[in-house]
Amino acid sequence: MPCAATPLLQSGAHLTLTRSRAEYPQHYDDVFDCIHRRLRKNGYATKLDLNGLIAWKHVQTAPWMRDLNCMTETSVKRITSEAFDCDTDARRREALRGLPGFRRGKAFTSVLLAAWDPQTYGVYDKF
């Protein structure tokens, strides 16, 4: 699809733009696109939407977040589903190691498990 901004670009800039777009990770904007669809459908933003956008925009400079954003939704669903099906905490933590940001098994892992089963798990943080 041609870029509508092409007439506004400096001479030759459209080639740079096209080259950069071709190198952009295919699944990187999945979170943004999903939230966009939710906002258009609902006509409002939830705290979940806002937090997702903040993480996508602000934390994407962290190498682990870039890696997570490049994963397919199918891979994330598979890894988390397998972790939730495990019968021990150690196996759950090990299963989640396939997700960037979850390799150490503390802060993000505890948040995910607490959201999944708040009667069993707590959030590991300074409070």
Side-chain angles (χ1 to χ4, degrees):
M1 174 164 147
C3 177
T6 299
L8 305 173
L9 300 173
Q10 294 177 352
S11 177
H14 68 284
L15 298 174
T16 302
L17 183 61
T18 301
R19 223 179 359 260
S20 295
R21 182 65 182 137
E23 294 171 7
Y24 199 74
Q26 181 180 1
H27 298 283
Y28 196 81
D29 291 334
D30 287 353
V31 170
F32 180 88
D33 294 338
C34 179
I35 294 172
H36 162 72
R37 288 189 300 274
R38 288 169 48 95
L39 298 178
R40 296 296 296 182
K41 177 184 173 195
N42 296 334
Y44 57 82
T46 66
K47 290 193 286 185
L48 178 64
D49 297 324
L50 298 176
N51 279 284
L53 289 171
I54 290 166
W56 176 84
K57 177 65 176 148
H58 180 67
V59 188
Q60 66 179 315
T61 56
W64 67 265
M65 184 58 116
R66 285 193 305 272
D67 293 344
L68 181 63
N69 281 339
C70 290
M71 291 182 74
T72 65
E73 188 71 14
T74 302
S75 295
V76 172
K77 287 178 180 179
R78 178 184 48 76
I79 290 168
T80 55
S81 175
E82 288 172 5
F84 296 159
D85 285 342
C86 289
D87 58 353
T88 67
D89 292 344
R91 288 186 177 144
R92 283 188 187 95
R93 284 192 307 273
E94 185 60 32
L96 291 171
R97 289 177 56 82
L99 290 176
F102 289 77
R103 292 188 175 105
R104 294 187 190 162
K106 292 185 180 176
F108 292 127
T109 301
S110 74
V111 167
L112 177 61
L113 293 177
W116 172 63
D117 184 358
Q119 299 301 319
T120 304
Y121 298 96
V123 177
Y124 177 86
D125 66 12
K126 65 182 178 183
F127 300 111

